mmCIF file of all heavy atoms in Angstrom:
data_model
loop_
_atom_site.group_PDB
_atom_site.id
_atom_site.type_symbol
_atom_site.label_atom_id
_atom_site.label_comp_id
_atom_site.label_asym_id
_atom_site.label_seq_id
_atom_site.Cartn_x
_atom_site.Cartn_y
_atom_site.Cartn_z
ATOM 1 N N ASP A 6 15.990 12.080 -15.573
ATOM 2 C CA ASP A 6 16.636 11.945 -14.328
ATOM 3 C C ASP A 6 15.613 12.369 -13.208
ATOM 4 O O ASP A 6 16.089 12.287 -12.009
ATOM 5 C CB ASP A 6 17.960 12.646 -14.247
ATOM 6 C CG ASP A 6 17.863 14.036 -14.405
ATOM 7 O OD1 ASP A 6 16.868 14.548 -14.931
ATOM 8 O OD2 ASP A 6 18.787 14.722 -13.995
ATOM 9 N N GLN A 7 14.511 12.907 -13.441
ATOM 10 C CA GLN A 7 13.568 13.317 -12.398
ATOM 11 C C GLN A 7 12.353 12.389 -12.344
ATOM 12 O O GLN A 7 12.021 11.895 -13.386
ATOM 13 C CB GLN A 7 13.056 14.762 -12.628
ATOM 14 C CG GLN A 7 14.117 15.813 -12.558
ATOM 15 C CD GLN A 7 13.621 17.153 -12.806
ATOM 16 O OE1 GLN A 7 12.566 17.347 -13.446
ATOM 17 N NE2 GLN A 7 14.297 18.179 -12.372
ATOM 18 N N TYR A 8 11.894 12.093 -11.099
ATOM 19 C CA TYR A 8 10.758 11.217 -11.035
ATOM 20 C C TYR A 8 9.517 12.051 -10.492
ATOM 21 O O TYR A 8 9.660 12.860 -9.700
ATOM 22 C CB TYR A 8 11.073 10.104 -9.992
ATOM 23 C CG TYR A 8 12.013 9.109 -10.463
ATOM 24 C CD1 TYR A 8 13.370 9.190 -9.915
ATOM 25 C CD2 TYR A 8 11.773 8.196 -11.418
ATOM 26 C CE1 TYR A 8 14.275 8.264 -10.330
ATOM 27 C CE2 TYR A 8 12.728 7.283 -11.837
ATOM 28 C CZ TYR A 8 13.982 7.303 -11.304
ATOM 29 O OH TYR A 8 14.856 6.401 -11.710
ATOM 30 N N ALA A 9 8.434 11.804 -11.157
ATOM 31 C CA ALA A 9 7.188 12.430 -10.685
ATOM 32 C C ALA A 9 6.676 11.654 -9.495
ATOM 33 O O ALA A 9 6.889 10.459 -9.360
ATOM 34 C CB ALA A 9 6.138 12.406 -11.802
ATOM 35 N N PRO A 10 6.080 12.367 -8.523
ATOM 36 C CA PRO A 10 5.557 11.625 -7.389
ATOM 37 C C PRO A 10 4.517 10.601 -7.722
ATOM 38 O O PRO A 10 3.758 10.809 -8.768
ATOM 39 C CB PRO A 10 4.982 12.730 -6.490
ATOM 40 C CG PRO A 10 4.870 13.917 -7.333
ATOM 41 C CD PRO A 10 5.782 13.771 -8.483
ATOM 42 N N ARG A 11 4.459 9.521 -7.114
ATOM 43 C CA ARG A 11 3.531 8.412 -7.397
ATOM 44 C C ARG A 11 2.451 8.333 -6.342
ATOM 45 O O ARG A 11 2.820 8.230 -5.210
ATOM 46 C CB ARG A 11 4.193 7.118 -7.635
ATOM 47 C CG ARG A 11 5.135 7.018 -8.811
ATOM 48 C CD ARG A 11 5.683 5.651 -8.918
ATOM 49 N NE ARG A 11 6.462 5.547 -10.131
ATOM 50 C CZ ARG A 11 7.012 4.375 -10.516
ATOM 51 N NH1 ARG A 11 6.986 3.408 -9.776
ATOM 52 N NH2 ARG A 11 7.709 4.380 -11.679
ATOM 53 N N GLY A 12 1.184 8.156 -6.782
ATOM 54 C CA GLY A 12 0.130 7.855 -5.862
ATOM 55 C C GLY A 12 0.117 6.384 -5.584
ATOM 56 O O GLY A 12 0.187 5.598 -6.489
ATOM 57 N N LEU A 13 -0.021 5.980 -4.308
ATOM 58 C CA LEU A 13 -0.099 4.610 -3.961
ATOM 59 C C LEU A 13 -1.482 4.156 -3.899
ATOM 60 O O LEU A 13 -2.404 4.606 -3.304
ATOM 61 C CB LEU A 13 0.454 4.459 -2.552
ATOM 62 C CG LEU A 13 0.741 3.055 -2.055
ATOM 63 C CD1 LEU A 13 1.749 2.344 -2.991
ATOM 64 C CD2 LEU A 13 1.455 3.212 -0.649
ATOM 65 N N ASP A 14 -1.832 3.132 -4.733
ATOM 66 C CA ASP A 14 -3.165 2.538 -4.899
ATOM 67 C C ASP A 14 -3.476 1.637 -3.755
ATOM 68 O O ASP A 14 -2.616 1.005 -3.117
ATOM 69 C CB ASP A 14 -3.220 1.821 -6.234
ATOM 70 C CG ASP A 14 -4.592 1.289 -6.553
ATOM 71 O OD1 ASP A 14 -5.490 2.165 -6.768
ATOM 72 O OD2 ASP A 14 -4.799 0.042 -6.547
ATOM 73 N N ALA A 15 -4.838 1.587 -3.477
ATOM 74 C CA ALA A 15 -5.218 0.750 -2.285
ATOM 75 C C ALA A 15 -4.969 -0.733 -2.520
ATOM 76 O O ALA A 15 -4.586 -1.402 -1.551
ATOM 77 C CB ALA A 15 -6.730 0.932 -2.136
ATOM 78 N N MET A 16 -5.024 -1.141 -3.748
ATOM 79 C CA MET A 16 -4.783 -2.630 -3.958
ATOM 80 C C MET A 16 -3.247 -2.986 -3.862
ATOM 81 O O MET A 16 -3.003 -4.123 -3.294
ATOM 82 C CB MET A 16 -5.252 -3.050 -5.365
ATOM 83 C CG MET A 16 -6.793 -3.100 -5.502
ATOM 84 S SD MET A 16 -7.601 -3.915 -4.130
ATOM 85 C CE MET A 16 -7.021 -5.587 -4.310
ATOM 86 N N LEU A 17 -2.379 -2.031 -4.142
ATOM 87 C CA LEU A 17 -0.945 -2.364 -3.764
ATOM 88 C C LEU A 17 -0.729 -2.470 -2.309
ATOM 89 O O LEU A 17 -0.029 -3.309 -1.762
ATOM 90 C CB LEU A 17 -0.110 -1.286 -4.284
ATOM 91 C CG LEU A 17 0.186 -1.325 -5.800
ATOM 92 C CD1 LEU A 17 1.009 -0.021 -6.204
ATOM 93 C CD2 LEU A 17 1.042 -2.500 -6.130
ATOM 94 N N ILE A 18 -1.459 -1.672 -1.560
ATOM 95 C CA ILE A 18 -1.354 -1.710 -0.032
ATOM 96 C C ILE A 18 -1.941 -3.076 0.422
ATOM 97 O O ILE A 18 -1.372 -3.713 1.220
ATOM 98 C CB ILE A 18 -2.086 -0.533 0.556
ATOM 99 C CG1 ILE A 18 -1.477 0.795 0.176
ATOM 100 C CG2 ILE A 18 -2.162 -0.703 2.099
ATOM 101 C CD1 ILE A 18 -2.244 2.013 0.625
ATOM 102 N N VAL A 19 -3.159 -3.413 -0.080
ATOM 103 C CA VAL A 19 -3.814 -4.593 0.347
ATOM 104 C C VAL A 19 -2.981 -5.817 0.039
ATOM 105 O O VAL A 19 -2.734 -6.669 0.938
ATOM 106 C CB VAL A 19 -5.190 -4.663 -0.383
ATOM 107 C CG1 VAL A 19 -5.783 -6.131 -0.155
ATOM 108 C CG2 VAL A 19 -6.134 -3.670 0.138
ATOM 109 N N TYR A 20 -2.461 -5.933 -1.187
ATOM 110 C CA TYR A 20 -1.647 -7.181 -1.532
ATOM 111 C C TYR A 20 -0.340 -7.167 -0.794
ATOM 112 O O TYR A 20 0.071 -8.190 -0.443
ATOM 113 C CB TYR A 20 -1.353 -7.079 -3.015
ATOM 114 C CG TYR A 20 -2.582 -7.387 -3.911
ATOM 115 C CD1 TYR A 20 -2.705 -6.883 -5.193
ATOM 116 C CD2 TYR A 20 -3.666 -8.116 -3.432
ATOM 117 C CE1 TYR A 20 -3.769 -7.094 -6.050
ATOM 118 C CE2 TYR A 20 -4.772 -8.396 -4.249
ATOM 119 C CZ TYR A 20 -4.813 -7.887 -5.565
ATOM 120 O OH TYR A 20 -5.955 -8.078 -6.322
ATOM 121 N N SER A 21 0.161 -5.986 -0.428
ATOM 122 C CA SER A 21 1.473 -6.034 0.294
ATOM 123 C C SER A 21 1.269 -6.498 1.757
ATOM 124 O O SER A 21 2.160 -7.025 2.477
ATOM 125 C CB SER A 21 2.159 -4.705 0.271
ATOM 126 O OG SER A 21 1.475 -3.745 1.040
#
Side-chain angles (χ1 to χ4, degrees):
D6 62 339
Q7 294 177 341
Y8 293 106
R11 291 183 174 184
L13 190 56
D14 184 66
M16 289 313 296
L17 280 173
I18 297 170
V19 168
Y20 291 150
S21 71

